[in-house]
C-alpha cells in the first residue's frame, strides 16, 4: 500500500511538483569541531612570541624590514584572535542547545571569557593573555567532546613551536 | 479555504529516522480546524522569519504557539534556535509519509 502510494505520488510529481518541506532551516552539515579555535589560540601565542623576539632583533634590521615583519605578525595575531571568537560563537549559537547549557552551567561564562580574552589578545602583546585564551578554548573543546560522549586528553603539542597543551578527543 | 490534502517532498535529515530526505509527506491542512495540535504530532510549518517550509515534531504547546523539534536533535535547527512558532504558521498535520 505504501509503495503503491509512493508510486502514485512519484507519478503525480511529473505534473505537479510537490513543494519542498525542509527538515532543516540552515545547511544541516552537522560538522562542528573546536580544533580550528584551538589552532588559532596557539597561533596567537606564537605571534606574541615572534613579536617579542622581533624587538630583540630590531637593531639588526632596516626600519622598513622591522615595520613589515611587525605588521605581518600583528595582522595574523588579529585574524586568529578574531577566529577564536568566531569559532566559539558558531559552537555556542549553532551547535550547543539549551540542554547543553543546562548540563554544562559553566558554558555561557566560558564563551563570554573567550570573547573578552580574544579582544584582550588583539589589544596587547601578552603571552599570558594568549595562554588564558587557549585555556578557555581547551575547556570549550572538552565540553564539546563530552557532549558527544567522547573523552578527551590534554596533550602537549610538541610538533608546534608553541609547545603547549591542546585538548584532543580520545577515539 | 484550501484543499485539505497537500503533498510535500522532504529535504534534509533532521527528521530521520522517522522521515528521510527525499520522502514524500501527505498533509491534512484541515487537521487543526476543529481540534488543537497535540504533542508528538508531525507538522509542516512555515519558518517564523524565513520564507521556507519545514517539517518538525511538536514537543511543547502554549497558547497560540508550538515548540517544534527535529527527531534527530544533533542535526536539527528548530525551536531550540528560533523559539515557539505561532500556530497560524502550521500548514497542516502529516498524515502519511512514504
Amino acid at each position: 500500500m505504501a509503495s503503491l502510494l509512493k508510486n502514485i505520488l512519484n507519478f503525480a510529481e511529473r505534473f505537479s511538483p510537490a513543494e519542498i518541506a525542509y527538515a532543516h532551516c540552515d545547511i544541516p552539515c552537522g560538522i562542528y569541531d573546536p580544533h580550528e579555535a584551538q589552532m588559532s589560540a596557539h597561533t596567537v601565542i606564537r605571534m606574541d612570541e615572534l613579536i617579542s623576539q622581533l624587538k630583540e632583533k630590531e637593531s639588526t634590521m632596516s626600519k622598513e624590514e622591522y615595520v613589515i615583519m611587525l605588521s605581518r605578525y600583528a595582522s595574523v595575531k588579529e585574524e586568529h584572535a578574531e577566529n577564536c571568537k568566531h569559532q566559539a560563537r558558531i559552537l555556542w549559537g549553532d551547535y550547543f542547545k539549551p540542554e547543553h547549557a543546562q548540563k554544562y552551567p559553566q558554558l555561557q561564562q566560558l564563551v563570554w571569557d573567550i570573547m573578552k580574552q580574544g579582544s584582550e589578545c588583539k589589544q596587547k602583546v601578552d603571552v599570558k593573555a594568549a595562554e588564558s585564551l587557549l585555556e578557555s578554548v581547551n575547556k570549550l573543546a572538552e565540553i564539546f567532546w563530552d557532549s558527544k560522549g567522547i573523552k578527551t586528553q590534554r596533550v602537549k603539542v610538541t610538533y608546534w613551536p608553541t609547545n603547549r597543551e591542546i585538548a584532543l578527543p580520545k577515539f | 479555504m484550501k484543499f485539505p490534502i497537500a503533498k510535500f517532498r522532504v529535504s534534509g535529515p533532521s527528521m530521520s529516522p522517522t522521515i528521510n530526505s527525499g520522502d514524500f509527506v501527505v498533509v491534512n491542512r484541515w487537521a487543526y480546524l476543529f481540534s488543537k495540535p497535540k504533542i508528538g504530532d508531525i507538522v509542516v510549518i512555515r519558518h517564523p522569519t524565513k520564507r521556507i517550509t519545514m517539517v518538525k515534531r511538536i514537543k511543547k504547546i502554549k497558547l497560540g504557539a508550538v515548540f517544534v523539534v527535529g527527531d534527530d536533535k544533533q542535526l536539527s535547527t528548530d525551536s531550540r534556535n528560533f523559539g515557539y512558532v505561532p500556530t497560524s504558521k502550521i500548514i497542516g498535520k502529516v498524515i502519511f509519509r512514504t
Side-chain angles (χ1 to χ4, degrees):
Chain A
M1 179 66 188
S3 63
L4 176 67
L5 189 68
K6 188 162 192 174
N7 285 341
I8 293 169
L9 288 168
N10 269 324
F11 185 71
E13 191 72 358
R14 295 183 190 181
F15 308 103
S16 155
E19 192 182 333
I20 299 288
Y22 290 95
H24 55 82
C25 72
D26 213 331
I27 297 170
C29 64
I31 299 170
Y32 299 102
D33 197 313
H35 193 71
E36 200 175 323
Q38 292 169 297
M39 282 178 73
S40 278
H42 273 261
T43 305
V44 173
I45 292 174
R46 183 64 183 149
M47 290 306 114
D48 280 342
E49 289 174 346
L50 287 172
I51 290 169
S52 300
Q53 289 167 19
L54 190 67
K55 282 178 196 161
E56 293 161 18
K57 293 184 203 161
E58 190 180 356
S59 58
T60 64
M61 304 168 89
S62 71
K63 193 180 171 190
E64 289 78 9
E65 217 179 350
Y66 177 78
V67 169
I68 285 170
M69 288 313 291
L70 183 61
S71 309
R72 292 186 70 204
Y73 295 154
S75 166
V76 171
K77 182 166 77 76
E78 187 83 11
E79 180 192 328
H80 283 267
E82 182 53 42
N83 194 40
C84 279
K85 295 176 67 172
H86 176 63
Q87 297 296 330
R89 280 190 213 108
I90 289 175
L91 291 174
W92 174 241
D94 292 353
Y95 171 72
F96 288 117
K97 300 283 193 306
E99 54 259 39
H100 294 130
Q102 274 184 344
K103 189 176 175 190
Y104 309 103
Q106 71 278 36
L107 192 54
Q108 169 99 63
Q109 186 60 50
L110 197 54
V111 174
W112 280 338
D113 287 347
I114 291 170
M115 296 301 128
K116 290 178 181 69
Q117 289 161 346
S119 297
E120 197 183 353
C121 287
K122 290 185 192 185
Q123 292 155 8
K124 297 175 179 173
V125 181
D126 184 347
V127 173
K128 281 210 161 50
E131 284 173 339
S132 301
L133 175 65
L134 174 62
E135 178 59 25
S136 297
V137 169
N138 276 335
K139 282 181 182 165
L140 189 68
E142 284 164 344
I143 292 175
F144 172 86
W145 291 114
D146 191 72
S147 74
K148 290 185 169 292
I150 296 168
K151 288 192 166 61
T152 49
Q153 59 182 348
R154 293 275 183 128
V155 176
K156 202 169 188 182
V157 194
T158 51
Y159 49 88
W160 289 347
T162 43
N163 205 25
R164 285 173 177 80
E165 281 186 347
I166 189 171
L168 290 176
K170 281 167 81 174
F171 292 112
Chain B
M1 186 174 278
K2 286 186 173 175
F3 190 69
I5 303 297
K7 69 181 192 302
F8 292 85
R9 188 184 275 281
V10 176
S11 166
S14 83
M15 283 302 288
S16 63
T18 318
I19 302 171
N20 295 311
S21 192
D23 284 357
F24 281 108
V25 290
V26 177
V27 162
N28 177 4
R29 284 200 179 107
W30 293 1
Y32 301 125
L33 278 184
F34 303 107
S35 66
K36 290 180 177 173
K38 290 193 297 293
I39 290 169
D41 284 357
I42 298 174
V43 287
V44 172
I45 57 165
R46 297 202 188 284
H47 189 282
T49 54
K50 296 179 186 177
R51 293 185 66 182
I52 59 168
T53 304
M54 295 182 301
V55 57
K56 300 285 174 195
R57 190 185 292 276
I58 296 174
K59 194 179 179 190
K60 288 186 251 179
I61 296 171
K62 68 177 184 182
L63 192 65
V66 291
F67 191 92
V68 292
V69 292
D71 281 2
D72 187 333
K73 292 189 176 55
Q74 288 282 349
L75 290 180
S76 180
T77 306
D78 46 42
S79 283
R80 294 171 298 166
N81 303 89
F82 50 70
Y84 277 83
V85 181
T87 49
S88 60
K89 297 278 185 186
I90 298 178
I91 292 171
K93 178 185 175 183
V94 173
I95 52 170
F96 190 84
R97 50 187 184 270
T98 182

